[in-house]
Amino acid sequence: MATRKPFVGGNWKMNLDLASSTALAAAVAAKAADFAGKTEVTLFVPFVYIQAVGQVLKGVDAVRLGAQDFYHEPDGAFTGEISLAMLKDLGVTDVLVGHSERRHVIGEPDALLNAKTKAALDQGFEVTLCIGELLEQREAGQTDAVNDQQLTAGLAGVPADQMDRLTVAYEPVWAIGTGKTATPEDAQAAHAHIRQKLAALYTEEIAAKIRIQYGGSVKPGNAQELFAQEDIDGGLIGGAALKADDFTAIVTAAC
Ligand code: PGA
């Protein structure tokens, strides 16, 4: 069995201000000795605070700098958008693609998410592709079908030799920010299915190496039993990533 290093992302979403962003990053960095070399960690910071947080994380190898979004075109007339080159300029190494809030609140379609995934991998970024079903889809028994569809569309045209920089975040939409968490058994079942689908799209060997994070109301109190599941390789953390103690407790639960 492939050994996968756990990976935990902190998705700050549209929260914090300049002072609290840098303070939070510094507090996470101060705990780096607890998880360095054991669990990979990325902070997904609002665009306008990336530069300041990047300064705080300078020299802290155990905590990577991430962006929550970007536009896939290299440059040009795209008012309000941020390119991958701009992010690279600030030291960003990791990006999120297809977070449920971008899919369902902002309305990003599969074709755009696929273009973003391909552009970011082409540019050398670590990409976390987020997938997951809505409550009505789960209740209709469509969880696996939705995950299959979002994976297939998101990864269309992505070559096998870039898949070592791809992480999948499985986030059931009904569990995000709601306090409801999938049971470890339900989450494991979805993750195992996602890994099977990755094997079908690529190879067993590639699928065995890909980290699949769980996301949706992960807290210090439930992280350990989720991360103990065979196919759960860490988490994507929203609300609990806004408190350094909670976030670092979740990270160390993955170690
Ligand atoms: P949550 O968010 O931990 O607040 O549920 C997770 C996410 O949206 O990535």
Side-chain angles (χ1 to χ4, degrees):
M1 206 200 76
T3 45
R4 296 178 294 269
K5 190 182 277 188
F7 176 24
V8 175
N11 176 10
W12 292 357
K13 307 192 180 184
M14 197 174 74
N15 292 300
L16 307 173
D17 57 17
L18 180 57
S20 54
S21 294
T22 51
L24 178 55
V28 172
K31 293 274 179 73
D34 294 352
F35 51 81
K38 292 184 271 187
T39 298
E40 292 181 24
V41 172
T42 297
L43 301 180
F44 294 96
V45 176
F47 286 135
V48 291
Y49 304 134
I50 285 175
Q51 191 166 15
V53 168
Q55 291 300 319
V56 172
L57 296 181
K58 225 177 203 138
V60 184
D61 293 341
V63 185
R64 300 202 299 263
L65 186 61
Q68 300 167 21
D69 189 33
F70 57 94
Y71 199 58
H72 57 286
E73 294 289 352
D75 54 34
F78 302 103
T79 300
E81 295 297 333
I82 302 289
S83 73
L84 288 160
M86 292 170 180
L87 296 177
K88 207 176 263 184
D89 212 9
L90 299 186
V92 170
T93 54
D94 289 46
V95 288
L96 296 180
V97 174
H99 188 276
S100 81
E101 286 137 27
R102 303 230 46 101
R103 289 180 191 269
H104 300 296
V105 181
I106 314 292
E108 293 190 3
D110 279 325
L112 175 63
L113 299 177
N114 177 237
K116 289 186 177 194
T117 301
K118 287 196 288 194
L121 288 170
D122 278 344
Q123 297 296 312
F125 285 82
E126 300 283 329
V127 175
T128 299
L129 175 64
C130 308
I131 62 172
E133 83 285 0
L134 298 165
L135 182 58
E136 56 266 35
Q137 292 169 325
R138 167 157 289 249
E139 287 172 343
Q142 295 168 345
T143 297
D144 290 342
V146 169
N147 286 331
D148 284 356
Q149 186 276 325
Q150 292 182 352
L151 265 186
T152 306
L155 294 174
V158 172
D161 66 358
Q162 293 184 342
M163 289 298 283
D164 58 340
R165 282 184 285 108
L166 193 285
T167 296
V168 174
Y170 167 61
E171 303 198 290
V173 180
W174 48 271
I176 296 178
T178 57
K180 294 187 189 134
T181 322
T183 65
E185 295 73 26
D186 283 348
Q188 164 57 25
H191 281 234
H193 181 87
I194 290 164
R195 201 173 302 285
Q196 267 173 22
K197 184 67 185 174
L198 289 166
L201 291 172
Y202 291 92
T203 64
E204 293 277 352
E205 198 190 350
I206 288 174
K209 286 186 187 154
I210 293 180
R211 272 85 60 90
I212 306 175
Q213 298 174 325
Y214 172 79
S217 299
V218 178
K219 307 260 181 298
N222 61 20
Q224 200 127 33
E225 54 173 358
L226 286 162
F227 298 162
Q229 302 298 311
E230 164 104 19
D231 288 289
I232 301 183
D233 309 310
L236 185 57
I237 318 302
L242 298 174
K243 290 192 190 129
D245 288 348
D246 285 357
F247 183 66
T248 52
I250 292 168
V251 170
T252 46
C255 290

